[in-house]
Amino acid sequence: MNLQSNDFEIFGLPERFALDRADLDARWKDLQRQAHPDRFASADPASQRQAMQWSVRINEAYQRLKDPIKRAAYLCELRGAPIEAENNTAMPTDFLVQQMQWREDLDEADGADALERMADEVAAARRARIATLQRGLDEQGDAAAAAREVRALMFIERFARDLESRLDQQGQ
């Protein structure tokens, strides 16, 4: 294992979407305990620098693996289907209609109750998309389809923030 190892290799995990969050957290703490720069405070400068690089790399990998959308995007990239959200907006076709409907519903929502119902619907859609994503990556091995699901989830995350903002405005 070296600094160029992939995130899963660093954490000693199989390259799968499904993971046990408590296990990931425990592995992160163990890796940080081993590589933390404070352990190398009296070591030579090269060892201190290397400890700092490892600590940064472990944290970077942990941040990516603990977030389901970032983990999925990373797996898609490892499997040759990069997300490229800036210039590739391909999403599941059924989601495109849903996306437009949610935007219209948000524009027309006239109170906290309507917004909270939408937030529940969006949260349920997020859970369903993550389950689809997991099947696509771990069972079907279809990284291209998973990449489309990741793009849909990226929209859902942005839309959920917009919804939360509208709900915050209702509270004022």
Side-chain angles (χ1 to χ4, degrees):
M1 183 171 65
N2 59 53
L3 290 169
Q4 282 72 45
S5 296
N6 77 40
D7 296 354
F8 294 96
E9 292 168 341
I10 288 172
F11 278 80
L13 295 168
E15 288 184 22
R16 302 179 38 88
F17 179 77
L19 62 74
D20 180 332
R21 178 60 193 269
D23 181 41
L24 177 67
D25 292 348
R27 288 172 188 256
W28 173 73
K29 287 178 184 171
D30 186 50
L31 287 168
Q32 278 298 351
R33 196 175 307 114
Q34 293 174 36
H36 198 280
D38 289 350
R39 287 193 64 216
F40 299 87
S42 61
D44 62 271
S47 296
Q48 289 177 354
R49 186 178 53 254
Q50 189 174 27
M52 179 63 75
Q53 289 171 332
W54 268 110
S55 183
V56 168
R57 181 66 183 95
I58 290 164
N59 282 334
E60 174 187 87
Y62 177 68
Q63 293 301 319
R64 193 168 18 241
L65 292 178
K66 77 176 188 177
D67 181 294
I69 297 173
K70 289 178 182 174
R71 184 174 60 247
Y74 185 65
L75 276 168
C76 289
E77 188 168 331
L78 287 175
R79 295 175 183 180
I83 303 304
E84 299 176 331
E86 314 79 41
N87 55 18
N88 185 345
T89 57
M91 294 185 202
T93 36
D94 66 313
F95 184 70
L96 296 174
V97 173
Q98 179 65 68
Q99 182 181 359
M100 289 186 290
Q101 184 64 53
W102 279 344
R103 282 285 173 208
E104 288 177 22
D105 291 348
L106 182 59
D107 289 343
E108 296 170 3
D110 61 353
D113 289 343
L115 293 170
E116 288 175 8
R117 278 193 301 276
M118 285 185 69
D120 290 344
E121 181 182 337
V122 170
R126 182 182 189 276
R127 286 189 299 273
R129 292 275 171 201
I130 286 177
T132 301
L133 186 56
Q134 182 174 341
R135 282 190 303 278
L137 286 169
D138 292 349
E139 296 170 20
Q140 299 162 346
D142 189 347
R148 289 189 294 274
E149 291 293 335
V150 168
R151 289 184 207 102
L153 280 160
M154 293 169 76
F155 171 84
I156 289 173
E157 294 291 312
R158 283 191 307 272
F159 188 74
R161 284 192 300 272
D162 292 347
L163 248 173
E164 187 67 32
S165 177
R166 286 280 306 270
L167 277 166
D168 287 346
Q169 291 171 359
Q170 294 288 316
Q172 293 178 358

